[in-house]
């Protein structure tokens, strides 16, 4: 009888745990991202894309990515291609800490706005990524991504920007 009672308690406990887990999954907010992209035709037949992305919901940290990409084969590689990402915390008396990939540079424009810059040479892409750690009073974060490039001595892609975040 002890075996049957122990097994019965185990099954009841397992059923309760499963029900609790299912309830948490249903009640948990969905993690969605906030993003923006733009694509422009450039002389020679190539296209340039500028992209911005960051997490849609966060507690302590929020991953982010920004890029400028060239597609096409005329030329296959740019002389240089650049991405500048402005990462900002919004709210009352907010601040932000930012991590980024090692080759990019970070300039803190203010305590709530950081600018990450990466100029890549002889390639088709300049992409950066990292993590934002906004202060507790932050209501939302935003990512503004701006791209530019010098494809050949005669073909230049002037700065174009996209914005991901609340308006």
């Amino acid at each position: 009888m002890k075996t049957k009672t122990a097994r019965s308690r185990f099954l009841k406990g397992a059923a309760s745990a499963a029900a609790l887990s299912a309830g948490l999954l249903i009640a948990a907010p969905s993690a969605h991202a906030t993003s923006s992209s733009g694509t422009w035709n450039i002389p020679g037949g190539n296209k340039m894309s500028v992209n911005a992305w960051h997490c849609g919901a966060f507690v302590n940290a929020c991953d982010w990515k920004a890029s400028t990409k060239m597609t096409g084969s005329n030329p296959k590689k740019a002389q240089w291609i650049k991405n500048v990402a402005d990462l900002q915390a919004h709210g009352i008396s907010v601040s932000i800490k930012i991590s980024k990939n090692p080759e990019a540079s970070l300039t803190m424009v203010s305590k709530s706005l950081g600018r990450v810059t990466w100029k890549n040479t002889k390639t088709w892409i300049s992409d950066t990524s990292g993590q934002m750690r906004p202060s507790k009073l932050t209501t939302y974060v935003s990512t503004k991504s701006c791209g530019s490039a010098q494809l050949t001595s005669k073909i230049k892609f002037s700065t174009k920007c996209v914005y991901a975040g609340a308006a």
Side-chain angles (χ1 to χ4, degrees), residues 152-164:
T152 68
S153 59
K154 296 182 180 180
I155 302 173
K156 183 174 184 169
F157 175 65
S158 59
T159 303
K160 303 283 189 267
C161 300
V162 297
Y163 179 83

Side-chain angles (χ1 to χ4, degrees), residues 39-136:
T39 301
W40 295 266
N41 293 320
I42 50 178
N46 286 3
K47 294 182 184 227
M48 295 295 292
S49 297
V50 179
N51 307 288
W53 177 92
H54 65 263
C55 69
F58 60 90
V59 175
N60 295 317
C62 180
D63 291 340
W64 66 272
K65 294 177 186 178
S67 66
T68 304
K69 298 178 183 182
M70 179 181 74
T71 55
S73 59
N74 190 19
K76 285 188 176 195
K77 296 179 180 179
Q79 291 177 355
W80 58 262
I81 189 166
K82 181 178 177 181
N83 184 269
V84 178
D86 284 349
L87 308 159
Q88 189 165 14
H90 301 268
I92 299 170
S93 187
V94 298
S95 63
I96 194 167
K97 292 180 182 175
I98 300 169
S99 72
K100 45 94 182 157
N101 45 326
E103 59 275 353
S105 64
L106 169 64
T107 303
M108 291 307 294
V109 177
S110 69
K111 67 180 188 169
S112 64
L113 173 64
R115 180 167 292 144
V116 177
T117 304
W118 172 228
K119 185 176 181 181
N120 207 353
T121 57
K122 298 185 180 11
T123 191
W124 60 278
I125 189 170
S126 174
D127 59 341
T128 56
S129 62
Q131 195 172 73
M132 293 184 264
R133 292 193 168 273
S135 62
K136 298 290 183 203

